[in-house]
Amino acid sequence: DADVTQTPRNRITKTGKRIMLECSQTKGHDRMYWYRQDPGLGLRLIYYSFDVKDINKGEISDGYSVSRQAQAKFSLSLESAIPNQTALYFCATSENVGYEQFFGPGTRLTVL
Amino acid sequence: KNEVEQSPQNLTAQEGEFITINCSYSVGISALHWLQQHPGGGIVSLFMLSSGKKKHGRLIATINIQEKHSSLHITASHPRDSAVYICAVRSGTYKYIFGTGTRLKVLA
């Protein structure tokens, strides 16, 4: 079984809808991250969490929110989706800051 | 100008060729990572470097901190090496800056 899983893997939604992307990990890592990837751009950090009680904004957090329900679960929400949030979203975990990051398989989100 | 630049952006090679992908950065870093993104989208970590050189199988990664440059080499390339290779630098406590990737295609 994969160490980092994401659901759904693909999602098509309409402008204005609320969307939740979920991430679960079995690696026992405290650090979890949400990134988005757009064509021609590098991965960009949306939010990160160093433990259940510690959540921080990344460089592009506007329009997104997160919830760290447990050490193993980190969810990303788009409260009111807009077309420029169409992207590939990755969850990642690491044992500690600066350590190797383990990525989920990605969620391809399309907002019409 | 991006803080992390990779070259080339696209690379096509014949099976068996020696391949080099370059990464230059303009910020102070504490570590540099090389990642591989498969055609299906999944990302795996290949190396984490803070100095010198690392080798894993046919892959070799080097870093020159003074020149702010890293290279990823693939020896005896194979079609299964076809992927996007991403350089990422750790700058600051949590911040990672990712390059836009080098798309490699190895032809049989």
Side-chain angles (χ1 to χ4, degrees):
Chain A
D1 287 339
D3 295 318
V4 185
T5 57
Q6 292 182 233
T7 56
R9 294 294 311 280
N10 288 282
R11 183 70 183 268
I12 300 173
T13 191
K14 294 182 179 180
T15 297
K17 294 291 188 181
R18 185 178 187 275
I19 291 293
M20 179 180 286
L21 309 182
E22 298 187 340
C23 176
S24 294
Q25 53 112 348
T26 59
K27 299 194 75 65
H29 292 166
D30 285 327
R31 276 70 175 171
M32 297 188 74
Y33 312 82
W34 275 106
Y35 294 97
R36 67 176 278 176
Q37 185 179 43
D38 297 276
L41 297 178
L43 287 153
R44 292 180 292 165
L45 183 64
I46 306 172
Y47 270 94
Y48 63 102
S49 170
F50 286 169
D51 64 40
V52 174
K53 296 181 181 178
D54 180 47
I55 292 178
N56 304 278
K57 293 182 178 180
E59 59 184 299
I60 54 163
S61 59
D62 286 349
Y64 301 95
S65 62
V66 291
S67 172
R68 184 81 184 266
Q69 301 95 322
Q71 186 203 39
K73 296 185 182 295
F74 193 34
S75 300
L76 176 72
S77 293
L78 288 68
E79 297 301 325
S80 180
I82 56 176
N84 77 0
Q85 291 177 313
T86 293
L88 189 54
Y89 289 85
F90 286 97
C91 172
T93 76
S94 69
E95 183 178 347
N96 207 334
V97 176
Y99 282 41
E100 178 184 3
Q101 292 197 1
F102 294 86
F103 288 83
T107 294
R108 188 169 298 279
L109 176 66
T110 303
V111 183
L112 301 176
Chain B
K1 189 171 167 29
N2 293 334
E3 293 168 301
V4 178
E5 298 271 0
Q6 289 185 235
S7 63
Q9 289 186 304
N10 294 280
L11 179 58
T12 300
Q14 292 293 325
E15 183 174 359
E17 286 186 6
F18 180 85
I19 289 164
T20 296
I21 298 170
N22 297 297
C23 175
S24 296
Y25 52 92
S26 58
V27 296
I29 71 168
S30 53
L32 182 143
H33 297 251
W34 280 103
L35 309 168
Q36 180 191 53
Q37 185 168 22
H38 296 290
I43 297 175
V44 296
S45 178
L46 298 175
F47 294 103
M48 186 178 73
L49 294 163
S50 54
S51 65
K53 176 179 174 178
K54 286 191 176 180
K55 184 175 188 291
H56 185 259
R58 294 179 296 105
L59 301 177
I60 304 166
T62 64
I63 188 168
N64 185 317
I65 296 294
Q66 287 73 30
E67 294 186 4
K68 295 190 174 181
H69 181 268
S70 175
S71 293
L72 177 67
H73 305 287
I74 304 175
T75 62
S77 59
H78 190 277
R80 64 175 175 267
D81 297 325
S82 297
V84 176
Y85 292 84
I86 299 170
C87 171
V89 301
R90 182 184 160 213
S91 177
T93 304
Y94 72 88
K95 186 175 181 180
Y96 283 89
I97 307 169
F98 293 80
T100 56
T102 294
R103 187 174 299 276
L104 171 65
K105 186 171 185 178
V106 181
L107 303 175

